[in-house]
Amino acid sequence: KAGVTQTPRYLIKTRGQQVTLSCSPISGHRSVSWYQQTPGQGLQFLFEYFSETQRNKGNFPGRFSGRQFSNSRSEMNVSTLELGDSALYLCASSGSDVREQFFGPGTRLTVL
Amino acid sequence: KQEVTQIPAALSVPEGENLVLNCSFTDSAIYNLQWFRQDPGKGLTSLLLIQSSQREQTSGRLNASLDKSSGRSTLYIAASQPGDSATYLCAVIPGGTSYGKLTFGQGTILTVHP
């Protein structure tokens, strides 16, 4: 079974631009979560989607948004990029009652 | 609010040693707990998941234990190898409607030297 995939793997943007990241979960998994990882803050939860509905949201500004499609693929969007948005963005999928999370390789976003 | 602490923050050992990584959490009302490994610049690899009803879980040279009432979990690595060098993260999986909302520790950076 293929693992979680994320595209693109690397992105360089400038302040004020917007960016869209994509995540394809493990086949059959309907829950997709997004995390931001920075050296200072560690891993922080952004949001979680299930069957095209956002079920949970972390403490991030409205510039961070996401969506999920009928095939469970998910995208997250960050508008009006700031320098502090530079981070590794990770998505994870889950498909069982034990809520075990499987992570993708991440997208490294650099904001200049 | 759940808080997760990992001790030590960093550990350097010679090859072949057995070692223990510690994880503590403040709210014992967890659903499950998961241990991960992260190599530099990469994603997280799941190592072990312990359900809240379990006391321990084993996979190869890895053994994880869970004491939910005291808010502690340990990851035991037997006969460490240089390839075990990575950051190890524990994450608490909440119950109820908090799907996907894991709380992570800051990690233990492990270096195993030949």
Side-chain angles (χ1 to χ4, degrees):
Chain A
K1 209 182 240 189
V4 178
T5 59
Q6 292 186 245
T7 57
R9 294 293 311 279
Y10 303 92
L11 268 176
I12 299 176
K13 293 285 187 179
T14 56
R15 280 182 300 173
Q17 288 187 308
Q18 75 164 16
V19 67
T20 299
L21 313 182
S22 181
C23 172
S24 292
I26 292 171
S27 178
H29 286 188
R30 295 165 66 189
S31 169
V32 175
S33 301
W34 289 89
Y35 290 83
Q36 180 195 66
Q37 186 177 32
T38 58
Q41 299 296 318
L43 277 149
Q44 294 185 286
F45 172 77
L46 281 156
F47 28 65
E48 186 261 357
Y49 285 87
F50 181 86
S51 292
E52 303 178 64
T53 300
Q54 186 183 90
R55 290 197 296 191
N56 282 291
K57 188 177 190 306
N59 297 321
F60 279 82
R63 300 186 297 108
F64 292 82
S65 62
R67 59 178 177 169
Q68 187 181 34
F69 303 94
S70 59
N71 62 357
S72 294
R73 189 177 70 85
S74 178
E75 289 181 346
M76 68 164 281
N77 184 78
V78 188
S79 62
T80 320
L81 284 166
E82 301 177 359
L83 295 179
D85 297 333
S86 294
L88 181 66
Y89 289 89
L90 294 160
C91 84
S93 75
S94 178
S96 70
D97 290 342
V98 296
R99 305 189 185 183
E100 186 172 9
Q101 301 289 315
F102 296 91
F103 281 79
T107 294
R108 171 72 63 184
L109 172 64
T110 301
V111 182
L112 302 176
Chain B
K1 179 191 169 190
Q2 180 73 267
E3 292 183 3
V4 180
T5 303
Q6 290 188 245
I7 294 173
L11 186 60
S12 180
V13 300
E15 182 176 5
E17 271 205 9
N18 302 324
L19 52 99
V20 175
L21 308 181
N22 296 290
C23 171
S24 62
F25 45 94
T26 54
D27 185 352
S28 62
I30 68 169
Y31 191 66
N32 294 326
L33 186 142
Q34 196 169 355
W35 282 92
F36 296 91
R37 164 192 175 132
Q38 186 175 33
D39 293 290
K42 302 290 178 65
L44 276 62
T45 300
S46 179
L47 297 173
L48 288 164
L49 177 136
I50 310 178
Q51 297 182 52
S52 59
S53 58
Q54 297 176 318
R55 301 279 301 182
E56 64 178 67
Q57 192 68 253
T58 298
S59 176
R61 294 183 294 108
L62 304 179
N63 175 277
S65 67
L66 174 64
D67 185 342
K68 192 176 155 185
S69 60
S70 67
R72 291 188 298 184
S73 177
T74 60
L75 179 67
Y76 175 83
I77 302 176
S80 58
Q81 303 170 356
D84 294 331
S85 298
T87 298
Y88 290 79
L89 295 149
C90 72
V92 166
I93 302 174
T97 59
S98 297
Y99 300 99
K101 201 171 180 178
L102 274 60
T103 302
F104 285 86
Q106 289 294 323
T108 293
I109 302 172
L110 173 64
T111 303
V112 182
H113 46 89

